[in-house]
């Protein structure tokens, strides 16, 4: 079985932080790929001990605002 989770990646100084918005798990790495791999490992470890949280359907978009 495989689950797909919604993830946000933010750059914070010298690190990329990957956050799973479905179950509030986060990890970091020096590259986007490393942050995602670390997050995947963290989620897998979490799921070993917990019931899976089913991902929600999320719409992510941009919004332009005049200033």
């Amino acid at each position: 079985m495989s689950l797909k989770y919604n993830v946000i990646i933010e750059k914070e100084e010298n690190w990329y932080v990957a956050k799973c918005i479905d179950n509030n798990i986060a990890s970091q790495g020096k590259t986007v790929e490393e942050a995602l791999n670390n997050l995947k490992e963290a989620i897998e470890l979490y799921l070993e001990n917990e019931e899976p949280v089913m991902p929600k359907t999320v719409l992510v978009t941009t919004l332009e605002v005049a200033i």
Side-chain angles (χ1 to χ4, degrees), residues 40-58:
K40 181 179 179 183
E41 183 179 328
I43 292 171
E44 288 169 346
L45 289 170
Y46 170 80
L47 292 175
E48 287 179 4
N49 299 312
E50 299 291 331
E51 283 292 315
V53 174
M54 299 308 288
K56 303 171 193 162
T57 300
V58 176

Side-chain angles (χ1 to χ4, degrees), residues 22-67:
D22 298 302
N23 55 20
N24 294 321
I25 296 174
S27 194
Q28 65 185 17
K30 294 211 178 223
T31 65
V32 170
E33 183 178 84
E34 182 180 9
L36 287 172
N37 286 336
N38 290 342
L39 179 60
K40 181 179 179 183
E41 183 179 328
I43 292 171
E44 288 169 346
L45 289 170
Y46 170 80
L47 292 175
E48 287 179 4
N49 299 312
E50 299 291 331
E51 283 292 315
V53 174
M54 299 308 288
K56 303 171 193 162
T57 300
V58 176
L59 173 64
V60 177
T61 188
T62 59
L63 178 66
E64 184 175 340
V65 178
I67 56 172

